[in-house]
Amino acid sequence: MTTSTQEQAPVAVVTGGSAGLGLALVRELADSGWRVVTDGRTQARFKEAALPQEVSVLVGDLTDPEHRDALVDRVREHGRLDLLVHNASTLGPLPMRSLAEVTGDDLQQVWRTNVGGPLVLTGRLLDLLQAVDGVLVGISSDAAVAHYPTWGLYGASKAALDHVVLTCAAEAGITAYAVDPGDMRTAMHQDAFPGEDISDRPLPEAVVPHLLALLGRRPASGRYRAQDFS
């Protein structure tokens, strides 16, 4: 049974919550009393993650309209939305390629996952964010503003996500942040550097306190580095 205290608890959506930074953020928010809705593409990863049963987990792909419908329906069952974090993303084809080698299919895959899905989902949930003065977050990358060989497709998609998130803030009067979390010791980062020792990168759990500090301080909408908040 849902108690009145639970009904008053803030609600967050964190996409891509089965691994890496998304999983670390979901765990911290749930431990702090938030009601969390998250998604991921495989049940196996969620089984391994063993999230608290209070977390609403939906398995699916953010590029699938039916999956987005399910996410929206689950959030509306909670009746409010205080935080929407676009964390799910893809590097695209591996090993990563130069822009000259990118195909139309590569472009469509990355754009639909990193930009299209978040854009449409934001539009579907914008009224709930506005109703409670909620916050929209797009997890970005330094590749959105720097120019590393073979990172062009991913970096361009993150630059576009930054633009989408911050334009939503300007259009809808909400607070929004494009956040560069910095390098992390994740499976995605290892995919970008196959065979390289990335043990010197911080675990995603180390980035979460910086994200929460940003949300707690709530500066003006804009692009920020997570490590600048503590």
Side-chain angles (χ1 to χ4, degrees):
M1 177 180 294
T2 302
T3 68
S4 58
T5 300
Q6 288 173 319
E7 290 172 349
Q8 295 166 3
V11 176
V13 172
V14 181
T15 64
S18 64
L21 180 60
L23 175 58
L25 182 58
V26 167
R27 283 182 169 147
E28 183 60 36
L29 290 172
D31 287 346
S32 301
W34 286 66
R35 291 175 288 168
V36 184
V37 178
T38 190
D39 75 341
R41 283 173 282 192
T42 64
Q43 181 66 51
R45 278 190 170 182
F46 279 117
K47 185 176 181 180
E48 184 178 345
L51 286 167
Q53 62 179 5
E54 293 80 8
V55 175
S56 294
V57 172
L58 290 88
V59 176
D61 191 319
L62 197 58
T63 65
D64 179 357
E66 291 186 3
H67 177 63
R68 291 197 297 266
D69 288 346
L71 274 173
V72 171
D73 290 345
R74 186 66 58 87
V75 175
R76 292 194 181 279
E77 288 173 6
H78 288 297
R80 62 182 293 160
L81 180 60
D82 302 81
L83 176 63
L84 172 56
V85 181
H86 293 304
N87 169 72
S89 65
T90 179
L91 291 172
L94 298 172
M96 297 171 75
R97 307 171 183 171
S98 68
L99 286 176
E101 299 173 289
V102 169
T103 68
D105 287 343
D106 299 337
L107 178 64
Q108 185 176 65
Q109 178 207 1
V110 172
W111 229 250
R112 289 182 66 197
T113 301
N114 296 359
V115 185
L119 189 158
V120 175
L121 184 62
T122 299
R124 297 282 305 278
L125 295 173
L126 202 52
D127 62 323
L128 291 177
L129 284 174
Q130 290 173 306
V132 296
D133 195 21
V135 177
L136 172 65
V137 175
I139 299 300
S140 186
S141 166
D142 63 340
V145 294
H147 306 286
Y148 307 120
T150 74
W151 284 79
L153 179 57
Y154 177 79
S157 74
K158 286 298 183 179
L161 178 63
D162 291 358
H163 195 86
V164 164
V165 166
L166 298 181
T167 301
C168 281
E171 292 177 343
I174 61 172
T175 300
Y177 304 122
V179 182
D180 172 8
D183 290 348
M184 293 176 288
R185 201 185 318 165
T186 63
M188 174 180 278
H189 199 77
Q190 187 69 75
D191 286 341
F193 299 98
E196 184 173 324
D197 180 7
I198 63 167
S199 61
D200 60 329
R201 278 71 159 181
L203 289 168
E205 286 78 4
V207 177
V208 171
H210 298 292
L211 287 176
L212 297 182
L214 166 65
L215 295 172
R217 286 171 57 178
R218 197 160 175 153
S221 295
R223 191 177 195 282
Y224 295 97
R225 296 189 311 166
Q227 66 187 57
D228 291 335
F229 294 84
S230 59

mmCIF file with all atom_site columns, all heavy atoms in Angstrom, residues 193-219:
data_model
loop_
_atom_site.group_PDB
_atom_site.id
_atom_site.type_symbol
_atom_site.label_atom_id
_atom_site.label_alt_id
_atom_site.label_comp_id
_atom_site.label_asym_id
_atom_site.label_entity_id
_atom_site.label_seq_id
_atom_site.pdbx_PDB_ins_code
_atom_site.Cartn_x
_atom_site.Cartn_y
_atom_site.Cartn_z
_atom_site.occupancy
_atom_site.B_iso_or_equiv
_atom_site.pdbx_formal_charge
_atom_site.auth_seq_id
_atom_site.auth_comp_id
_atom_site.auth_asym_id
_atom_site.auth_atom_id
_atom_site.pdbx_PDB_model_num
ATOM 1   N N   . PHE A 1 193 ? 37.859 2.692  -25.233 1.00 0.00 ? 193 PHE A N   1
ATOM 2   C CA  . PHE A 1 193 ? 39.307 2.479  -25.145 1.00 0.00 ? 193 PHE A CA  1
ATOM 3   C C   . PHE A 1 193 ? 39.599 0.985  -24.959 1.00 0.00 ? 193 PHE A C   1
ATOM 4   O O   . PHE A 1 193 ? 40.052 0.555  -23.887 1.00 0.00 ? 193 PHE A O   1
ATOM 5   C CB  . PHE A 1 193 ? 39.895 3.291  -23.986 1.00 0.00 ? 193 PHE A CB  1
ATOM 6   C CG  . PHE A 1 193 ? 39.696 4.771  -24.121 1.00 0.00 ? 193 PHE A CG  1
ATOM 7   C CD1 . PHE A 1 193 ? 38.656 5.404  -23.457 1.00 0.00 ? 193 PHE A CD1 1
ATOM 8   C CD2 . PHE A 1 193 ? 40.542 5.525  -24.932 1.00 0.00 ? 193 PHE A CD2 1
ATOM 9   C CE1 . PHE A 1 193 ? 38.465 6.777  -23.591 1.00 0.00 ? 193 PHE A CE1 1
ATOM 10  C CE2 . PHE A 1 193 ? 40.362 6.891  -25.063 1.00 0.00 ? 193 PHE A CE2 1
ATOM 11  C CZ  . PHE A 1 193 ? 39.314 7.521  -24.401 1.00 0.00 ? 193 PHE A CZ  1
ATOM 12  N N   . PRO A 1 194 ? 39.279 0.171  -25.976 1.00 0.00 ? 194 PRO A N   1
ATOM 13  C CA  . PRO A 1 194 ? 39.453 -1.285 -25.834 1.00 0.00 ? 194 PRO A CA  1
ATOM 14  C C   . PRO A 1 194 ? 40.900 -1.658 -25.538 1.00 0.00 ? 194 PRO A C   1
ATOM 15  O O   . PRO A 1 194 ? 41.824 -1.166 -26.195 1.00 0.00 ? 194 PRO A O   1
ATOM 16  C CB  . PRO A 1 194 ? 38.999 -1.815 -27.204 1.00 0.00 ? 194 PRO A CB  1
ATOM 17  C CG  . PRO A 1 194 ? 39.137 -0.661 -28.140 1.00 0.00 ? 194 PRO A CG  1
ATOM 18  C CD  . PRO A 1 194 ? 38.842 0.556  -27.321 1.00 0.00 ? 194 PRO A CD  1
ATOM 19  N N   . GLY A 1 195 ? 41.046 -2.504 -24.530 1.00 0.00 ? 195 GLY A N   1
ATOM 20  C CA  . GLY A 1 195 ? 42.374 -2.989 -24.188 1.00 0.00 ? 195 GLY A CA  1
ATOM 21  C C   . GLY A 1 195 ? 43.193 -2.055 -23.334 1.00 0.00 ? 195 GLY A C   1
ATOM 22  O O   . GLY A 1 195 ? 44.284 -2.408 -22.889 1.00 0.00 ? 195 GLY A O   1
ATOM 23  N N   . GLU A 1 196 ? 42.681 -0.852 -23.077 1.00 0.00 ? 196 GLU A N   1
ATOM 24  C CA  . GLU A 1 196 ? 43.425 0.128  -22.272 1.00 0.00 ? 196 GLU A CA  1
ATOM 25  C C   . GLU A 1 196 ? 43.047 0.007  -20.805 1.00 0.00 ? 196 GLU A C   1
ATOM 26  O O   . GLU A 1 196 ? 41.884 -0.263 -20.475 1.00 0.00 ? 196 GLU A O   1
ATOM 27  C CB  . GLU A 1 196 ? 43.115 1.547  -22.780 1.00 0.00 ? 196 GLU A CB  1
ATOM 28  C CG  . GLU A 1 196 ? 43.927 2.632  -22.075 1.00 0.00 ? 196 GLU A CG  1
ATOM 29  C CD  . GLU A 1 196 ? 43.728 4.003  -22.714 1.00 0.00 ? 196 GLU A CD  1
ATOM 30  O OE1 . GLU A 1 196 ? 43.598 4.052  -23.970 1.00 0.00 ? 196 GLU A OE1 1
ATOM 31  O OE2 . GLU A 1 196 ? 43.686 4.998  -21.989 1.00 0.00 ? 196 GLU A OE2 1
ATOM 32  N N   . ASP A 1 197 ? 44.016 0.203  -19.944 1.00 0.00 ? 197 ASP A N   1
ATOM 33  C CA  . ASP A 1 197 ? 43.757 0.186  -18.505 1.00 0.00 ? 197 ASP A CA  1
ATOM 34  C C   . ASP A 1 197 ? 43.111 1.504  -18.108 1.00 0.00 ? 197 ASP A C   1
ATOM 35  O O   . ASP A 1 197 ? 43.737 2.569  -18.198 1.00 0.00 ? 197 ASP A O   1
ATOM 36  C CB  . ASP A 1 197 ? 45.073 -0.006 -17.752 1.00 0.00 ? 197 ASP A CB  1
ATOM 37  C CG  . ASP A 1 197 ? 44.874 -0.037 -16.242 1.00 0.00 ? 197 ASP A CG  1
ATOM 38  O OD1 . ASP A 1 197 ? 43.707 -0.046 -15.789 1.00 0.00 ? 197 ASP A OD1 1
ATOM 39  O OD2 . ASP A 1 197 ? 45.886 -0.038 -15.517 1.00 0.00 ? 197 ASP A OD2 1
ATOM 40  N N   . ILE A 1 198 ? 41.829 1.454  -17.703 1.00 0.00 ? 198 ILE A N   1
ATOM 41  C CA  . ILE A 1 198 ? 41.124 2.680  -17.294 1.00 0.00 ? 198 ILE A CA  1
ATOM 42  C C   . ILE A 1 198 ? 40.891 2.694  -15.790 1.00 0.00 ? 198 ILE A C   1
ATOM 43  O O   . ILE A 1 198 ? 39.996 3.399  -15.302 1.00 0.00 ? 198 ILE A O   1
ATOM 44  C CB  . ILE A 1 198 ? 39.790 2.842  -18.050 1.00 0.00 ? 198 ILE A CB  1
ATOM 45  C CG1 . ILE A 1 198 ? 38.818 1.702  -17.716 1.00 0.00 ? 198 ILE A CG1 1
ATOM 46  C CG2 . ILE A 1 198 ? 40.016 2.936  -19.550 1.00 0.00 ? 198 ILE A CG2 1
ATOM 47  C CD1 . ILE A 1 198 ? 37.377 1.971  -18.181 1.00 0.00 ? 198 ILE A CD1 1
ATOM 48  N N   . SER A 1 199 ? 41.692 1.929  -15.059 1.00 0.00 ? 199 SER A N   1
ATOM 49  C CA  . SER A 1 199 ? 41.482 1.834  -13.619 1.00 0.00 ? 199 SER A CA  1
ATOM 50  C C   . SER A 1 199 ? 41.774 3.138  -12.893 1.00 0.00 ? 199 SER A C   1
ATOM 51  O O   . SER A 1 199 ? 41.425 3.286  -11.720 1.00 0.00 ? 199 SER A O   1
ATOM 52  C CB  . SER A 1 199 ? 42.334 0.707  -13.032 1.00 0.00 ? 199 SER A CB  1
ATOM 53  O OG  . SER A 1 199 ? 43.708 0.949  -13.257 1.00 0.00 ? 199 SER A OG  1
ATOM 54  N N   . ASP A 1 200 ? 42.406 4.109  -13.591 1.00 0.00 ? 200 ASP A N   1
ATOM 55  C CA  . ASP A 1 200 ? 42.676 5.392  -12.943 1.00 0.00 ? 200 ASP A CA  1
ATOM 56  C C   . ASP A 1 200 ? 41.459 6.318  -12.988 1.00 0.00 ? 200 ASP A C   1
ATOM 57  O O   . ASP A 1 200 ? 41.443 7.342  -12.319 1.00 0.00 ? 200 ASP A O   1
ATOM 58  C CB  . ASP A 1 200 ? 43.875 6.077  -13.612 1.00 0.00 ? 200 ASP A CB  1
ATOM 59  C CG  . ASP A 1 200 ? 43.639 6.354  -15.096 1.00 0.00 ? 200 ASP A CG  1
ATOM 60  O OD1 . ASP A 1 200 ? 42.901 5.571  -15.730 1.00 0.00 ? 200 ASP A OD1 1
ATOM 61  O OD2 . ASP A 1 200 ? 44.181 7.343  -15.602 1.00 0.00 ? 200 ASP A OD2 1
ATOM 62  N N   . ARG A 1 201 ? 40.445 5.958  -13.769 1.00 0.00 ? 201 ARG A N   1
ATOM 63  C CA  . ARG A 1 201 ? 39.238 6.788  -13.831 1.00 0.00 ? 201 ARG A CA  1
ATOM 64  C C   . ARG A 1 201 ? 38.383 6.538  -12.589 1.00 0.00 ? 201 ARG A C   1
ATOM 65  O O   . ARG A 1 201 ? 38.311 5.411  -12.092 1.00 0.00 ? 201 ARG A O   1
ATOM 66  C CB  . ARG A 1 201 ? 38.406 6.471  -15.068 1.00 0.00 ? 201 ARG A CB  1
ATOM 67  C CG  . ARG A 1 201 ? 38.863 7.145  -16.361 1.00 0.00 ? 201 ARG A CG  1
ATOM 68  C CD  . ARG A 1 201 ? 40.153 6.595  -16.893 1.00 0.00 ? 201 ARG A CD  1
ATOM 69  N NE  . ARG A 1 201 ? 40.327 6.878  -18.309 1.00 0.00 ? 201 ARG A NE  1
ATOM 70  C CZ  . ARG A 1 201 ? 41.361 6.492  -19.034 1.00 0.00 ? 201 ARG A CZ  1
ATOM 71  N NH1 . ARG A 1 201 ? 42.367 5.825  -18.470 1.00 0.00 ? 201 ARG A NH1 1
ATOM 72  N NH2 . ARG A 1 201 ? 41.431 6.760  -20.330 1.00 0.00 ? 201 ARG A NH2 1
ATOM 73  N N   . PRO A 1 202 ? 37.681 7.555  -12.111 1.00 0.00 ? 202 PRO A N   1
ATOM 74  C CA  . PRO A 1 202 ? 36.829 7.353  -10.933 1.00 0.00 ? 202 PRO A CA  1
ATOM 75  C C   . PRO A 1 202 ? 35.616 6.492  -11.254 1.00 0.00 ? 202 PRO A C   1
ATOM 76  O O   . PRO A 1 202 ? 35.122 6.494  -12.386 1.00 0.00 ? 202 PRO A O   1
ATOM 77  C CB  . PRO A 1 202 ? 36.409 8.776  -10.549 1.00 0.00 ? 202 PRO A CB  1
ATOM 78  C CG  . PRO A 1 202 ? 36.545 9.566  -11.808 1.00 0.00 ? 202 PRO A CG  1
ATOM 79  C CD  . PRO A 1 202 ? 37.672 8.958  -12.575 1.00 0.00 ? 202 PRO A CD  1
ATOM 80  N N   . LEU A 1 203 ? 35.149 5.767  -10.267 1.00 0.00 ? 203 LEU A N   1
ATOM 81  C CA  . LEU A 1 203 ? 33.911 5.016  -10.425 1.00 0.00 ? 203 LEU A CA  1
ATOM 82  C C   . LEU A 1 203 ? 32.731 5.986  -10.542 1.00 0.00 ? 203 LEU A C   1
ATOM 83  O O   . LEU A 1 203 ? 32.780 7.102  -10.000 1.00 0.00 ? 203 LEU A O   1
ATOM 84  C CB  . LEU A 1 203 ? 33.702 4.089  -9.224  1.00 0.00 ? 203 LEU A CB  1
ATOM 85  C CG  . LEU A 1 203 ? 34.655 2.898  -9.137  1.00 0.00 ? 203 LEU A CG  1
ATOM 86  C CD1 . LEU A 1 203 ? 34.541 2.227  -7.773  1.00 0.00 ? 203 LEU A CD1 1
ATOM 87  C CD2 . LEU A 1 203 ? 34.366 1.900  -10.258 1.00 0.00 ? 203 LEU A CD2 1
ATOM 88  N N   . PRO A 1 204 ? 31.663 5.579  -11.205 1.00 0.00 ? 204 PRO A N   1
ATOM 89  C CA  . PRO A 1 204 ? 30.510 6.477  -11.338 1.00 0.00 ? 204 PRO A CA  1
ATOM 90  C C   . PRO A 1 204 ? 29.921 6.898  -9.998  1.00 0.00 ? 204 PRO A C   1
ATOM 91  O O   . PRO A 1 204 ? 29.368 8.010  -9.882  1.00 0.00 ? 204 PRO A O   1
ATOM 92  C CB  . PRO A 1 204 ? 29.514 5.662  -12.177 1.00 0.00 ? 204 PRO A CB  1
ATOM 93  C CG  . PRO A 1 204 ? 30.025 4.271  -12.207 1.00 0.00 ? 204 PRO A CG  1
ATOM 94  C CD  . PRO A 1 204 ? 31.492 4.330  -11.988 1.00 0.00 ? 204 PRO A CD  1
ATOM 95  N N   . GLU A 1 205 ? 30.055 6.048  -8.981  1.00 0.00 ? 205 GLU A N   1
ATOM 96  C CA  . GLU A 1 205 ? 29.530 6.403  -7.659  1.00 0.00 ? 205 GLU A CA  1
ATOM 97  C C   . GLU A 1 205 ? 30.198 7.671  -7.123  1.00 0.00 ? 205 GLU A C   1
ATOM 98  O O   . GLU A 1 205 ? 29.589 8.413  -6.321  1.00 0.00 ? 205 GLU A O   1
ATOM 99  C CB  . GLU A 1 205 ? 29.755 5.260  -6.676  1.00 0.00 ? 205 GLU A CB  1
ATOM 100 C CG  . GLU A 1 205 ? 28.831 4.063  -6.859  1.00 0.00 ? 205 GLU A CG  1
ATOM 101 C CD  . GLU A 1 205 ? 29.237 3.145  -8.023  1.00 0.00 ? 205 GLU A CD  1
ATOM 102 O OE1 . GLU A 1 205 ? 30.298 3.408  -8.651  1.00 0.00 ? 205 GLU A OE1 1
ATOM 103 O OE2 . GLU A 1 205 ? 28.495 2.193  -8.303  1.00 0.00 ? 205 GLU A OE2 1
ATOM 104 N N   . ALA A 1 206 ? 31.423 7.944  -7.571  1.00 0.00 ? 206 ALA A N   1
ATOM 105 C CA  . ALA A 1 206 ? 32.129 9.134  -7.103  1.00 0.00 ? 206 ALA A CA  1
ATOM 106 C C   . ALA A 1 206 ? 31.586 10.413 -7.736  1.00 0.00 ? 206 ALA A C   1
ATOM 107 O O   . ALA A 1 206 ? 31.813 11.514 -7.214  1.00 0.00 ? 206 ALA A O   1
ATOM 108 C CB  . ALA A 1 206 ? 33.627 9.003  -7.409  1.00 0.00 ? 206 ALA A CB  1
ATOM 109 N N   . VAL A 1 207 ? 30.892 10.272 -8.861  1.00 0.00 ? 207 VAL A N   1
ATOM 110 C CA  . VAL A 1 207 ? 30.355 11.440 -9.563  1.00 0.00 ? 207 VAL A CA  1
ATOM 111 C C   . VAL A 1 207 ? 28.995 11.856 -8.993  1.00 0.00 ? 207 VAL A C   1
ATOM 112 O O   . VAL A 1 207 ? 28.618 13.032 -9.038  1.00 0.00 ? 207 VAL A O   1
ATOM 113 C CB  . VAL A 1 207 ? 30.237 11.139 -11.073 1.00 0.00 ? 207 VAL A CB  1
ATOM 114 C CG1 . VAL A 1 207 ? 29.610 12.305 -11.822 1.00 0.00 ? 207 VAL A CG1 1
ATOM 115 C CG2 . VAL A 1 207 ? 31.608 10.815 -11.652 1.00 0.00 ? 207 VAL A CG2 1
ATOM 116 N N   . VAL A 1 208 ? 28.263 10.880 -8.458  1.00 0.00 ? 208 VAL A N   1
ATOM 117 C CA  . VAL A 1 208 ? 26.894 11.160 -7.989  1.00 0.00 ? 208 VAL A CA  1
ATOM 118 C C   . VAL A 1 208 ? 26.831 12.296 -6.967  1.00 0.00 ? 208 VAL A C   1
ATOM 119 O O   . VAL A 1 208 ? 25.967 13.172 -7.073  1.00 0.00 ? 208 VAL A O   1
ATOM 120 C CB  . VAL A 1 208 ? 26.245 9.872  -7.436  1.00 0.00 ? 208 VAL A CB  1
ATOM 121 C CG1 . VAL A 1 208 ? 24.914 10.185 -6.756  1.00 0.00 ? 208 VAL A CG1 1
ATOM 122 C CG2 . VAL A 1 208 ? 26.020 8.871  -8.571  1.00 0.00 ? 208 VAL A CG2 1
ATOM 123 N N   . PRO A 1 209 ? 27.709 12.342 -5.958  1.00 0.00 ? 209 PRO A N   1
ATOM 124 C CA  . PRO A 1 209 ? 27.629 13.469 -5.004  1.00 0.00 ? 209 PRO A CA  1
ATOM 125 C C   . PRO A 1 209 ? 27.772 14.825 -5.684  1.00 0.00 ? 209 PRO A C   1
ATOM 126 O O   . PRO A 1 209 ? 27.147 15.805 -5.240  1.00 0.00 ? 209 PRO A O   1
ATOM 127 C CB  . PRO A 1 209 ? 28.799 13.194 -4.052  1.00 0.00 ? 209 PRO A CB  1
ATOM 128 C CG  . PRO A 1 209 ? 29.016 11.714 -4.137  1.00 0.00 ? 209 PRO A CG  1
ATOM 129 C CD  . PRO A 1 209 ? 28.734 11.350 -5.551  1.00 0.00 ? 209 PRO A CD  1
ATOM 130 N N   . HIS A 1 210 ? 28.557 14.904 -6.739  1.00 0.00 ? 210 HIS A N   1
ATOM 131 C CA  . HIS A 1 210 ? 28.698 16.169 -7.463  1.00 0.00 ? 210 HIS A CA  1
ATOM 132 C C   . HIS A 1 210 ? 27.386 16.539 -8.167  1.00 0.00 ? 210 HIS A C   1
ATOM 133 O O   . HIS A 1 210 ? 26.979 17.703 -8.166  1.00 0.00 ? 210 HIS A O   1
ATOM 134 C CB  . HIS A 1 210 ? 29.835 16.064 -8.482  1.00 0.00 ? 210 HIS A CB  1
ATOM 135 C CG  . HIS A 1 210 ? 31.176 15.814 -7.867  1.00 0.00 ? 210 HIS A CG  1
ATOM 136 N ND1 . HIS A 1 210 ? 31.818 16.748 -7.088  1.00 0.00 ? 210 HIS A ND1 1
ATOM 137 C CD2 . HIS A 1 210 ? 31.981 14.733 -7.905  1.00 0.00 ? 210 HIS A CD2 1
ATOM 138 C CE1 . HIS A 1 210 ? 32.980 16.260 -6.682  1.00 0.00 ? 210 HIS A CE1 1
ATOM 139 N NE2 . HIS A 1 210 ? 33.092 15.036 -7.150  1.00 0.00 ? 210 HIS A NE2 1
ATOM 140 N N   . LEU A 1 211 ? 26.743 15.539 -8.772  1.00 0.00 ? 211 LEU A N   1
ATOM 141 C CA  . LEU A 1 211 ? 25.445 15.795 -9.408  1.00 0.00 ? 211 LEU A CA  1
ATOM 142 C C   . LEU A 1 211 ? 24.422 16.277 -8.387  1.00 0.00 ? 211 LEU A C   1
ATOM 143 O O   . LEU A 1 211 ? 23.662 17.229 -8.636  1.00 0.00 ? 211 LEU A O   1
ATOM 144 C CB  . LEU A 1 211 ? 24.927 14.524 -10.088 1.00 0.00 ? 211 LEU A CB  1
ATOM 145 C CG  . LEU A 1 211 ? 25.605 14.075 -11.378 1.00 0.00 ? 211 LEU A CG  1
ATOM 146 C CD1 . LEU A 1 211 ? 25.013 12.741 -11.835 1.00 0.00 ? 211 LEU A CD1 1
ATOM 147 C CD2 . LEU A 1 211 ? 25.425 15.126 -12.467 1.00 0.00 ? 211 LEU A CD2 1
ATOM 148 N N   . LEU A 1 212 ? 24.396 15.616 -7.237  1.00 0.00 ? 212 LEU A N   1
ATOM 149 C CA  . LEU A 1 212 ? 23.423 16.003 -6.210  1.00 0.00 ? 212 LEU A CA  1
ATOM 150 C C   . LEU A 1 212 ? 23.746 17.386 -5.648  1.00 0.00 ? 212 LEU A C   1
ATOM 151 O O   . LEU A 1 212 ? 22.834 18.148 -5.304  1.00 0.00 ? 212 LEU A O   1
ATOM 152 C CB  . LEU A 1 212 ? 23.409 14.956 -5.093  1.00 0.00 ? 212 LEU A CB  1
ATOM 153 C CG  . LEU A 1 212 ? 22.965 13.548 -5.521  1.00 0.00 ? 212 LEU A CG  1
ATOM 154 C CD1 . LEU A 1 212 ? 22.953 12.610 -4.319  1.00 0.00 ? 212 LEU A CD1 1
ATOM 155 C CD2 . LEU A 1 212 ? 21.594 13.576 -6.202  1.00 0.00 ? 212 LEU A CD2 1
ATOM 156 N N   . ALA A 1 213 ? 25.036 17.728 -5.574  1.00 0.00 ? 213 ALA A N   1
ATOM 157 C CA  . ALA A 1 213 ? 25.407 19.071 -5.122  1.00 0.00 ? 213 ALA A CA  1
ATOM 158 C C   . ALA A 1 213 ? 24.933 20.120 -6.123  1.00 0.00 ? 213 ALA A C   1
ATOM 159 O O   . ALA A 1 213 ? 24.455 21.196 -5.732  1.00 0.00 ? 213 ALA A O   1
ATOM 160 C CB  . ALA A 1 213 ? 26.921 19.153 -4.941  1.00 0.00 ? 213 ALA A CB  1
ATOM 161 N N   . LEU A 1 214 ? 25.054 19.819 -7.400  1.00 0.00 ? 214 LEU A N   1
ATOM 162 C CA  . LEU A 1 214 ? 24.541 20.727 -8.432  1.00 0.00 ? 214 LEU A CA  1
ATOM 163 C C   . LEU A 1 214 ? 23.042 20.921 -8.271  1.00 0.00 ? 214 LEU A C   1
ATOM 164 O O   . LEU A 1 214 ? 22.539 22.057 -8.274  1.00 0.00 ? 214 LEU A O   1
ATOM 165 C CB  . LEU A 1 214 ? 24.858 20.165 -9.820  1.00 0.00 ? 214 LEU A CB  1
ATOM 166 C CG  . LEU A 1 214 ? 24.115 20.789 -11.015 1.00 0.00 ? 214 LEU A CG  1
ATOM 167 C CD1 . LEU A 1 214 ? 24.518 22.248 -11.185 1.00 0.00 ? 214 LEU A CD1 1
ATOM 168 C CD2 . LEU A 1 214 ? 24.399 20.012 -12.296 1.00 0.00 ? 214 LEU A CD2 1
ATOM 169 N N   . LEU A 1 215 ? 22.320 19.823 -8.102  1.00 0.00 ? 215 LEU A N   1
ATOM 170 C CA  . LEU A 1 215 ? 20.863 19.922 -7.949  1.00 0.00 ? 215 LEU A CA  1
ATOM 171 C C   . LEU A 1 215 ? 20.502 20.664 -6.672  1.00 0.00 ? 215 LEU A C   1
ATOM 172 O O   . LEU A 1 215 ? 19.513 21.399 -6.629  1.00 0.00 ? 215 LEU A O   1
ATOM 173 C CB  . LEU A 1 215 ? 20.252 18.517 -7.954  1.00 0.00 ? 215 LEU A CB  1
ATOM 174 C CG  . LEU A 1 215 ? 20.394 17.726 -9.258  1.00 0.00 ? 215 LEU A CG  1
ATOM 175 C CD1 . LEU A 1 215 ? 19.922 16.291 -9.067  1.00 0.00 ? 215 LEU A CD1 1
ATOM 176 C CD2 . LEU A 1 215 ? 19.603 18.402 -10.378 1.00 0.00 ? 215 LEU A CD2 1
ATOM 177 N N   . GLY A 1 216 ? 21.305 20.468 -5.618  1.00 0.00 ? 216 GLY A N   1
ATOM 178 C CA  . GLY A 1 216 ? 21.019 21.154 -4.371  1.00 0.00 ? 216 GLY A CA  1
ATOM 179 C C   . GLY A 1 216 ? 21.251 22.644 -4.450  1.00 0.00 ? 216 GLY A C   1
ATOM 180 O O   . GLY A 1 216 ? 20.482 23.435 -3.889  1.00 0.00 ? 216 GLY A O   1
ATOM 181 N N   . ARG A 1 217 ? 22.299 23.042 -5.158  1.00 0.00 ? 217 ARG A N   1
ATOM 182 C CA  . ARG A 1 217 ? 22.594 24.476 -5.280  1.00 0.00 ? 217 ARG A CA  1
ATOM 183 C C   . ARG A 1 217 ? 21.702 25.156 -6.300  1.00 0.00 ? 217 ARG A C   1
ATOM 184 O O   . ARG A 1 217 ? 21.458 26.354 -6.221  1.00 0.00 ? 217 ARG A O   1
ATOM 185 C CB  . ARG A 1 217 ? 24.058 24.669 -5.652  1.00 0.00 ? 217 ARG A CB  1
ATOM 186 C CG  . ARG A 1 217 ? 24.997 24.392 -4.483  1.00 0.00 ? 217 ARG A CG  1
ATOM 187 C CD  . ARG A 1 217 ? 26.438 24.379 -4.886  1.00 0.00 ? 217 ARG A CD  1
ATOM 188 N NE  . ARG A 1 217 ? 26.864 25.615 -5.529  1.00 0.00 ? 217 ARG A NE  1
ATOM 189 C CZ  . ARG A 1 217 ? 28.113 25.839 -5.936  1.00 0.00 ? 217 ARG A CZ  1
ATOM 190 N NH1 . ARG A 1 217 ? 29.034 24.909 -5.724  1.00 0.00 ? 217 ARG A NH1 1
ATOM 191 N NH2 . ARG A 1 217 ? 28.433 26.968 -6.522  1.00 0.00 ? 217 ARG A NH2 1
ATOM 192 N N   . ARG A 1 218 ? 21.269 24.401 -7.265  1.00 0.00 ? 218 ARG A N   1
ATOM 193 C CA  . ARG A 1 218 ? 20.339 24.855 -8.303  1.00 0.00 ? 218 ARG A CA  1
ATOM 194 C C   . ARG A 1 218 ? 20.738 26.213 -8.912  1.00 0.00 ? 218 ARG A C   1
ATOM 195 O O   . ARG A 1 218 ? 20.026 27.212 -8.762  1.00 0.00 ? 218 ARG A O   1
ATOM 196 C CB  . ARG A 1 218 ? 18.914 24.910 -7.745  1.00 0.00 ? 218 ARG A CB  1
ATOM 197 C CG  . ARG A 1 218 ? 17.880 24.970 -8.854  1.00 0.00 ? 218 ARG A CG  1
ATOM 198 C CD  . ARG A 1 218 ? 16.521 24.539 -8.391  1.00 0.00 ? 218 ARG A CD  1
ATOM 199 N NE  . ARG A 1 218 ? 15.549 24.725 -9.426  1.00 0.00 ? 218 ARG A NE  1
ATOM 200 C CZ  . ARG A 1 218 ? 14.445 24.025 -9.548  1.00 0.00 ? 218 ARG A CZ  1
ATOM 201 N NH1 . ARG A 1 218 ? 14.152 23.091 -8.685  1.00 0.00 ? 218 ARG A NH1 1
ATOM 202 N NH2 . ARG A 1 218 ? 13.603 24.252 -10.521 1.00 0.00 ? 218 ARG A NH2 1
ATOM 203 N N   . PRO A 1 219 ? 21.864 26.243 -9.599  1.00 0.00 ? 219 PRO A N   1
ATOM 204 C CA  . PRO A 1 219 ? 22.242 27.477 -10.304 1.00 0.00 ? 219 PRO A CA  1
ATOM 205 C C   . PRO A 1 219 ? 21.335 27.702 -11.509 1.00 0.00 ? 219 PRO A C   1
ATOM 206 O O   . PRO A 1 219 ? 20.437 26.902 -11.779 1.00 0.00 ? 219 PRO A O   1
ATOM 207 C CB  . PRO A 1 219 ? 23.677 27.178 -10.742 1.00 0.00 ? 219 PRO A CB  1
ATOM 208 C CG  . PRO A 1 219 ? 23.703 25.687 -10.904 1.00 0.00 ? 219 PRO A CG  1
ATOM 209 C CD  . PRO A 1 219 ? 22.799 25.144 -9.827  1.00 0.00 ? 219 PRO A CD  1
#
